[in-house]
Amino acid sequence: HGMWCLSILAANIPGSYIGSAPQASYYLFRTEDVASEFPVEEQNWAAAAERADSLGVDIITSSLGYSEFDDPSFNYTYADMNGKKTIVSRAASIATQKGMIVTNSAGNEGGRKWKYIIAPADVEEVLSVGAVNINKQVAGFSSYGPTADGRVKPDVSSVGWNTFLINLNGTVGQGNGTSFSNPNLAGLIACLWQAFPEFNNKEIINAVKQSADHYTAPDTRTGYGIPNMRLAFSSLEKERKIR
């Protein structure tokens, strides 16, 4: 899973596949225990974010989320998805306050009992990413918004249905999940921020949101819609001339 997500960002196979930010520098943090699901993984995420901050990381792209655990006594409820309750959401919020951009998968709960976004996609300052296909159709698995306190989520959407990626054997393949729509967009945001380093994390994220195809009429599936990075670039370029 980690390799698939990284390939969407960093792969560089000329003539075959280019990721969304192939020349970026990366730190990889493994915070998940794939054999189980317990809140300690949220604490691992917090530790990784703290380490990332100490290393000078600009962007955290996180393709995971939490709602229910192997021990039901630890389970969250939808009411907890307010961006302030869960361990991982509090950690992600702190990361944004430190100046980093945090992008996170909205979740793959759209067709399941839970249905809604999962933490830390519920954090106001975190850019949570839903999934569509190349024809802008919403993926059935993509988690619904809003947050428990009524905020727009997901924020935006990107291709996470039949997303091209690199398989374990090095060939080009396809996969489904908001795990893939998230890095697909995160790499583009990295490129945008590289062009406008004088803008802070909130200004970059706002430009991305405002460029989306239904910014004035957000919904519970794609949020503000699909960003247009050319428009985001143009808006920041105009702002740069004013300053």
Side-chain angles (χ1 to χ4, degrees), residues 17-89:
Y17 187 98
I18 305 293
S20 56
Q23 298 300 317
S25 298
Y26 295 91
Y27 290 101
L28 306 180
F29 296 94
R30 181 181 290 179
T31 64
E32 288 283 284
D33 178 355
V34 297
S36 63
E37 189 81 344
F38 284 97
V40 66
E41 296 170 48
E42 296 185 77
Q43 296 164 11
N44 293 343
W45 196 101
E50 186 174 18
R51 176 63 173 159
D53 181 37
S54 73
L55 293 167
V57 165
D58 297 305
I59 299 175
I60 294 174
T61 175
S62 170
S63 289
L64 47 69
Y66 302 97
S67 57
E68 298 175 323
F69 299 94
D70 290 349
D71 183 343
S73 67
F74 293 122
N75 285 356
Y76 295 121
T77 66
Y78 174 59
D80 295 324
M81 298 296 117
N82 59 12
K84 300 176 181 178
K85 176 67 180 289
T86 70
I87 297 168
V88 71
S89 291

Side-chain angles (χ1 to χ4, degrees), residues 130-132 136 138 153-157 213-214 219-226:
V132 296
K136 300 185 179 182
V138 180
K153 289 289 178 178
D155 293 289
V156 291
S157 293
D213 61 359
H214 51 262
D219 59 41
T220 60
R221 300 309 312 279
T222 62
Y224 295 109
I226 301 168

Side-chain angles (χ1 to χ4, degrees), residues 53-184:
D53 181 37
S54 73
L55 293 167
V57 165
D58 297 305
I59 299 175
I60 294 174
T61 175
S62 170
S63 289
L64 47 69
Y66 302 97
S67 57
E68 298 175 323
F69 299 94
D70 290 349
D71 183 343
S73 67
F74 293 122
N75 285 356
Y76 295 121
T77 66
Y78 174 59
D80 295 324
M81 298 296 117
N82 59 12
K84 300 176 181 178
K85 176 67 180 289
T86 70
I87 297 168
V88 71
S89 291
R90 283 182 282 165
S93 180
I94 292 170
T96 65
Q97 293 167 28
K98 294 291 186 178
M100 290 182 276
I101 287 175
V102 180
T103 72
N104 204 93
S105 303
N108 301 328
E109 305 296 323
R112 298 173 181 168
K113 182 179 178 181
W114 178 270
K115 182 179 176 180
Y116 295 103
I117 56 166
I118 50 181
D122 60 335
V123 176
E124 183 173 2
E125 302 87 358
V126 169
L127 190 77
S128 57
V129 186
V132 296
N133 65 11
I134 60 172
N135 297 314
K136 300 185 179 182
Q137 294 175 296
V138 180
F141 56 78
S142 190
S143 289
Y144 285 73
T147 59
D149 54 339
R151 287 177 287 106
V152 173
K153 289 289 178 178
D155 293 289
V156 291
S157 293
S158 182
V159 177
W161 178 8
N162 290 330
T163 309
F164 285 98
L165 44 73
I166 302 301
N167 286 316
L168 300 180
N169 62 5
T171 61
V172 177
Q174 290 177 286
N176 299 321
T178 57
S179 283
F180 303 147
S181 60
N182 178 49
N184 194 34

Side-chain angles (χ1 to χ4, degrees), residues 3-17:
M3 187 212 146
W4 287 330
C5 294
L6 179 62
S7 75
I8 293 168
L9 287 157
N12 191 353
I13 308 173
S16 181
Y17 187 98

